[in-house]
């Protein structure tokens, strides 16, 4: 696993970039990525966010056929997640999860203090 922390102006956290090259074992890969995000200590991350993230990652890693690339975005509270999976030339997969703090929903609407989208905000 490779993890890169990126920081922006005034050393504010910008994003966490996680990459794993491995055999395609959806449960293993989803568990490793979920644990990394869970232990990163991102603002607004809650313990309850781990299980939905794990399930979303299992589905993304396991998307068939394995020779195709997969891309998706998700949000959990104040955490934006961007996922990709693509094949290697030797039959493995590369999975990448980029995690960033956010104050808006996937549709661009603002979030309230609990990380819930405010419609028409």
């Amino acid at each position: 696993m490779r993890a890169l922390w990126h920081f922006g102006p005034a050393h504010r956290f910008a994003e966490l970039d996680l990459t794993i090259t491995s055999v395609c074992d959806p449960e293993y890969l989803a568990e490793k990525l979920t644990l990394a995000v869970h232990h990163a200590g991102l603002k607004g991350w809650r313990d309850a966010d781990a299980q939905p993230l794990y399930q979303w990652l299992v589905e993304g890693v396991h998307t068939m056929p394995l020779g195709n690339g997969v891309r998706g975005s998700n949000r959990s509270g104040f955490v934006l997640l961007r996922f990709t999976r693509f094949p290697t030339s030797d039959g493995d997969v590369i999975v990448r999860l980029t995690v960033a703090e956010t104050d808006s929903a996937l549709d661009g609407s603002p979030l309230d203090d609990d990380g819930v989208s405010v419609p028409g905000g």
Side-chain angles (χ1 to χ4, degrees), residues 1-5 13 15-20 27-43 45-47 49-51 53-54 57 79-83 95-101:
M1 174 183 268
R2 186 181 81 221
L4 297 172
W5 288 89
F13 171 76
E15 69 181 27
L16 172 62
D17 188 5
L18 303 160
T19 305
I20 301 175
E27 290 81 15
Y28 169 81
L29 293 167
E31 179 182 0
K32 295 301 176 195
L33 292 170
T34 300
L35 285 171
V37 173
H38 185 69
H39 290 290
L42 301 172
K43 179 185 120 190
W45 179 261
R46 302 168 301 231
D47 288 346
D49 295 333
Q51 186 60 34
L53 172 58
Y54 172 81
L57 290 170
V79 179
L80 175 63
L81 307 140
R82 292 183 307 271
F83 172 80
V95 294
R96 182 175 182 188
L97 183 65
T98 304
V99 184
E101 294 173 356

Side-chain angles (χ1 to χ4, degrees), residues 55-115:
Q55 284 303 128
W56 180 69
L57 290 170
V58 166
E59 292 169 14
V61 173
H62 198 263
T63 300
M64 297 294 184
L66 292 177
N68 289 356
V70 176
R71 180 180 303 164
S73 296
N74 199 352
R75 184 184 58 81
S76 186
F78 295 99
V79 179
L80 175 63
L81 307 140
R82 292 183 307 271
F83 172 80
T84 57
R85 183 210 73 197
F86 46 96
T88 66
S89 59
D90 59 0
D92 290 337
V93 293
I94 298 172
V95 294
R96 182 175 182 188
L97 183 65
T98 304
V99 184
E101 294 173 356
T102 186
D103 57 2
S104 61
L106 293 177
D107 66 3
S109 61
L111 302 175
D112 67 16
D113 292 340
D114 295 319

